[in-house]
Amino acid sequence: MAEKLFNIVIAGGGSTYTPGIVKMMLEHQEDFPLNSVTLYDNDGERQAVIGEALEILMKEEAPQIHFSYTTDPKEAFTGKDFCMAHIRVGKYAMRQLDERIPLKYGVVGQETCGPGGIAYGMRSITGMLEIIDYMVKYSPECWMLNYSNPAAIVAEACRVLRPDARVINICDMPVGTRRRMAYIVGKDYEDLDVRYFGLNHFGWWTSVKDKTTGEDYMPKLLEYVSENGYLTQKAIETQHMDESWQATHKKAKDLLALDPRFLPNTYLKYYLYPDYVVEHSDPNHTRADEVIEGREKEVFGAAREIIRKGTATGGEFTVDNHASFIVSLARAIAYNTHEIMLCIVENKGAISNFDSDAMVEVPCVVGNNGPEAMCQGEIPTFERGMMQEQLAVEKLVVEAYVEHSYLKLWQALTLSKTVPSAGVAKQILDDLIEANKEYWPELK
Ligand code: NAD
Ligand code: G6P
Ligand code: MN
């Protein structure tokens, strides 16, 4: 029988991550061979820059793979095996507002955490439902590997609103941090066997061992992180390298202090040290501005250069090796590899003393039925208390979206550990409603 060649649609074709992911997939033609790659975006103009450049690159590097880009959902989603989704509803302009509005009130302004993440969540749900429905309509067997943010809220929305759709929500933060851990103990990413529990952007590693020998690396890692956080002398990742990210890796040191047994996800800094974060934020120049001036400028600059020269042989686009976990995930489903990966899935007892219907991030065995959560047992009171509060925030956002409820969204903002009072929550909410008029359902 001829080998199966896969058909891929990348939703959010105009994303800054698209070229790196396409190049990374080209490096995997031996173990994940492709028949076609289609980019889909609802902003044709933005996507055309990336699309035109990748078309030149594909002709040079992989003429056997059919490549196209389109804004037509039918064309994009028909005959596909995998949809790799990374859309950003409202693009960077709205990310800027998500980050700036809370900061006006002295509250953390962040892409996925606190009020900014809630605002982004209310926008993302609509965009996600749209692409999920296209996928189900045009390729009912297709799997969506979604990393559109805020993944926690998106995952809860999928659980409630599209429970039967084949959508797997994933995050690259634990991947990047694990790469750092491997470097710290002198091993490779694949050598480690980890245990982890939490919500997305809200979790802890409880065990890091050698996959072959079983050697326990926790003592060494705990010691290292208690002094340096996850900061390393050598550049370990391709992303998460800007100065502000370095500060975040370093801050893990102070997160570990709260529970010296577990290795924290760096995102916990927004919940454990919100005052510190606000103090170190510039309300007129947030992370969105850094990305616009950095990654977006570089990627789109490189694309325009390829188009101008008519060739991609100058190495303008670089491989995003860091994103190879997406291919591992697709492979696990396609070939039933039963690889263990962190995914965001319904708890159903995996964390035994936590809500069964919570979308949690835990190691999963991935095969052709998708991810199956591995049991992580009981978690301690401190972590459980934090998670319970944050879970309520995420559930209330989805309920607010479904019921068009102002009250529930106000409750969600009030419950966020990043927000000091119901009064401040209300002021931020009213500003966010104004800013998101075009995107949110009208709240009553
Ligand atoms: P970007 O703005 O460069 O790209 C997003 C693209 O999505 C844009 O071209 C936009 O036009 C498109 N888009 C928006 N709404 C759409 C819709 N309804 N249908 C189709 N396309 C739509 O953003 P980026 O910085 O490259 O990030 C892309 C996404 O990936 C974001 O959601 C980001 O948060 C997420 N991300 C997640 C992880 C993770 O760990 N889960 C890691 C990296 C990036
Ligand atoms: C990590 C997170 C993503 C998030 C990204 C933000 O990779 O896991 O969920 O989108 O960081 O990075 P940026 O460079 O856009 O601030
Ligand atoms: Mn993430």
Side-chain angles (χ1 to χ4, degrees), residues 10-18 40-44 46-47 50 77 85-93 95 111-112 120 123-124 126-128 130-131 134 146-151 169-174 200-201 239-240 267 291 295-296 300 320 322 325 344 439:
I10 299 183
S15 157
T16 55
Y17 293 102
T18 299
Y40 168 74
D41 205 290
N42 65 358
D43 179 342
R46 182 179 175 90
Q47 174 173 258
I50 302 291
F77 286 90
H86 52 204
I87 64 169
R88 184 186 290 286
V89 178
K91 294 175 274 195
Y92 293 127
R95 176 175 178 177
E111 179 196 24
T112 63
Y120 186 13
R123 294 197 301 277
S124 277
T126 307
M128 284 303 301
E130 202 174 273
I131 59 173
Y134 290 142
N146 178 59
Y147 39 108
S148 311
N149 268 318
N169 294 289
I170 45 175
C171 171
D172 67 359
M173 196 70 236
N200 179 235
H201 289 182
Q239 63 178 115
H240 307 145
Y267 273 93
V291 174
R295 188 172 68 238
E296 186 186 41
F300 280 79
D320 187 0
H322 172 266
F325 72 105
I344 304 161
Y439 299 98

Side-chain angles (χ1 to χ4, degrees), residues 19-163:
I21 285 169
V22 169
K23 283 216 64 155
M24 186 267 303
M25 289 199 293
L26 293 186
E27 292 221 326
H28 281 268
Q29 284 314 287
E30 293 279 308
D31 58 349
F32 188 63
L34 302 180
N35 176 58
S36 70
V37 174
T38 309
L39 309 189
Y40 168 74
D41 205 290
N42 65 358
D43 179 342
E45 218 176 297
R46 182 179 175 90
Q47 174 173 258
V49 181
I50 302 291
E52 210 179 309
L54 278 176
E55 190 162 53
I56 294 169
L57 180 142
M58 293 294 278
K59 269 199 194 114
E60 290 173 342
E61 292 190 22
Q64 76 285 7
I65 301 175
H66 304 281
F67 176 82
S68 61
Y69 54 100
T70 180
T71 54
D72 174 21
K74 184 172 179 196
E75 188 186 331
F77 286 90
T78 301
K80 295 303 187 287
D81 302 297
F82 291 99
C83 171
M84 303 185 172
H86 52 204
I87 64 169
R88 184 186 290 286
V89 178
K91 294 175 274 195
Y92 293 127
M94 289 309 294
R95 176 175 178 177
Q96 262 176 336
L97 293 176
D98 291 346
E99 293 171 347
R100 286 180 186 208
I101 290 170
L103 279 171
K104 258 179 36 191
Y105 300 95
V107 169
V108 169
Q110 216 280 325
E111 179 196 24
T112 63
C113 304
I118 292 171
Y120 186 13
M122 290 287 286
R123 294 197 301 277
S124 277
I125 297 173
T126 307
M128 284 303 301
L129 295 179
E130 202 174 273
I131 59 173
I132 291 170
D133 291 347
Y134 290 142
M135 176 179 87
V136 171
K137 179 170 177 192
Y138 297 116
S139 287
E141 300 295 307
C142 186
W143 287 87
M144 183 179 289
L145 313 184
N146 178 59
Y147 39 108
S148 311
N149 268 318
I153 291 168
V154 166
E156 171 65 5
C158 290
R159 188 190 69 83
V160 173
L161 298 169
R162 295 294 183 275

Side-chain angles (χ1 to χ4, degrees), residues 175-192:
V175 176
T177 303
R178 176 169 153 182
R179 275 179 195 271
R180 287 168 184 271
M181 291 176 185
Y183 173 77
I184 293 164
V185 301
K187 289 281 163 181
D188 289 330
Y189 179 88
E190 296 76 22
D191 296 331
L192 305 185

